[in-house]
């Protein structure tokens, strides 16, 4: 009688680095083909392709409910208010951000907002007094942001991000579709300017994040976000004085993070 395959061994074989690399290459090819096919599509068209036609498969929208999040959330809610929206609550966010999330969710009628974050045991083990950010921001972002987001995105093949090219020099070449090592990423607002966002928010009477008026054009965790002066990159207040410019959730297919400000 033939022996049944050992499920644990099969899983180990399925997860070999060779398979992971080949999957990443497939995703890169798929993202490039989608990007070429839909060059020139508007933000709304890209969202329809992702949410209605599922061109990249099951998809979630990832939002920080930050300074410019309302525009993308509003666009998506017009197409599908039941879109899964993943919000990473690191436990170190400004209270204004949590209140803004609740306000937008109610206003836009979003029905599937998933607030995820580090579990208590992990937080107690890695950052019991909440000061890890002061000595190792990568480790802090790792367990507070990257790992909870990775877990939340596991059921999905693709995710929608609100990144724009104008936001920082490290973002100047964002395409509409790109690949990570594990997902297709859709960037409907990549070509939008700060003026486009402001115009859209005015046209749809969307409320601003309360900290924008206090000089925060980009809003992350309270300990790592400072106000920005006139003429600075909108993200200049994030991890100010450090080499770090991204939290680690935006990675290349090889798993590398863009860190340069030049
Ligand atoms: S932004 Fe700062 S506080 Fe937030 S997770 Fe990263 S290092 Fe920690």
């Amino acid at each position: 009688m033939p022996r049944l395959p050992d499920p644990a061994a099969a899983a180990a074989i399925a997860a070999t680095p060779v398979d992971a690399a080949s999957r990443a290459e497939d995703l890169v090819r798929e993202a490039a083909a989608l990007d070429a096919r839909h060059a020139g599509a508007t933000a709304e068209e890209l969202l329809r392709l992702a949410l209605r036609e599922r061109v990249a498969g099951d998809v979630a929208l990832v939002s920080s409910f930050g300074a410019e999040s309302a525009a993308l959330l509003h666009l998506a809610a017009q197409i599908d208010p039941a879109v899964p929206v993943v919000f990473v609550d690191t436990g170190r966010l400004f209270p204004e951000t949590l209140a803004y999330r609740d306000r937008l969710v109610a206003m836009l009628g979003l029905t599937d907002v998933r607030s995820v974050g580090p579990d208590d045991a992990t937080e107690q083990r890695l950052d019991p007094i909440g000061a890890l950010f002061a000595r190792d921001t990568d480790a802090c972002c790792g367990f507070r942001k990257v790992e909870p987001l990775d877990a939340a995105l596991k059921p999905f093949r693709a995710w929608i991000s609100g990144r724009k090219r104008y936001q920082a020099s490290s973002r100047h070449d964002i395409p509409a579709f790109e690949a990570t090592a594990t997902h297709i990423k859709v960037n409907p607002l990549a070509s939008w300017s700060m003026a486009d966002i402001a115009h859209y928010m005015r046209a749809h009477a969307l409320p601003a994040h309360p900290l924008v008026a206090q000089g925060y054009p980009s809003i992350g965790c309270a300990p790592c976000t400072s106000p920005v002066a006139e003429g600075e990159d909108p993200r200049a207040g994030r991890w100010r004085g450090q080499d770090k410019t991204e939290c680690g959730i935006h990675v290349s297919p090889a798993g590398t993070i863009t860190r340069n400000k030049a």
Side-chain angles (χ1 to χ4, degrees):
M1 188 176 164
R3 288 178 59 195
L4 290 172
D6 174 357
I13 291 166
T16 61
V18 173
D19 282 356
S22 126
R23 175 167 156 66
E25 284 167 16
D26 288 347
L27 289 170
V28 169
R29 275 192 291 276
E30 181 180 342
L34 285 168
D35 202 56
R37 196 176 317 140
H38 302 294
T42 64
E44 189 173 1
E45 288 164 347
L46 290 169
L47 280 167
R48 281 192 186 283
L49 287 165
L51 296 175
R52 284 258 181 263
E53 298 182 29
R54 306 272 166 162
V55 290
D58 284 346
V59 64
L61 188 156
V62 176
S63 180
S64 65
F65 287 82
E68 297 177 335
S69 298
L72 180 62
L73 290 165
H74 182 269
L75 277 162
Q78 303 311 298
I79 297 166
D80 182 7
V83 56
V85 175
V86 178
F87 168 73
V88 182
D89 181 355
T90 62
R92 306 310 310 270
L93 297 174
F94 290 97
E96 288 90 339
T97 297
L98 302 179
Y100 187 57
R101 171 199 59 187
D102 295 345
R103 184 177 179 194
L104 284 182
V105 168
M107 182 178 181
L108 301 177
L110 294 163
T111 59
D112 188 5
V113 176
R114 306 174 185 194
S115 292
V116 301
D119 61 67
D120 291 347
T122 305
E123 194 166 10
Q124 271 306 309
R125 183 166 52 84
L126 298 180
D127 194 10
I129 59 167
L132 184 57
F133 73 90
R135 58 185 167 83
D136 190 341
T137 48
D138 283 349
C140 188
C141 283
F143 91 90
R144 290 186 182 277
K145 285 188 183 180
V146 179
E147 289 172 15
L149 181 63
D150 282 351
L153 289 178
K154 277 219 159 49
F156 303 99
R157 194 166 179 279
W159 58 283
I160 298 165
S161 123
R163 293 183 308 154
K164 276 80 63 183
R165 293 181 195 128
Y166 83 83
Q167 286 174 313
S169 51
S170 57
R171 296 186 171 187
H172 71 274
D173 57 355
I174 297 173
F177 291 91
E178 62 185 321
T180 71
T182 52
H183 290 79
I184 297 286
K185 194 156 59 172
V186 191
N187 304 307
L189 304 187
S191 64
W192 280 34
S193 65
M194 192 183 272
D196 292 333
I197 298 280
H199 173 78
Y200 187 91
M201 289 184 66
R202 265 197 313 277
H204 296 279
L206 297 173
H209 188 297
L211 293 179
V212 170
Q214 296 178 40
Y216 295 84
S218 175
I219 302 158
C221 292
C224 301
T225 309
S226 57
V228 166
E230 188 101 18
E232 285 189 306
D233 252 7
R235 289 177 59 82
R238 307 287 293 275
W239 305 284
R240 189 179 284 283
Q242 298 185 37
D243 179 36
K244 188 176 173 76
T245 57
E246 299 280 352
C247 58
I249 65 171
H250 298 293
V251 293
S252 73
T256 54
I257 306 165
T258 306
R259 299 176 69 90
N260 62 304
K261 290 191 185 202

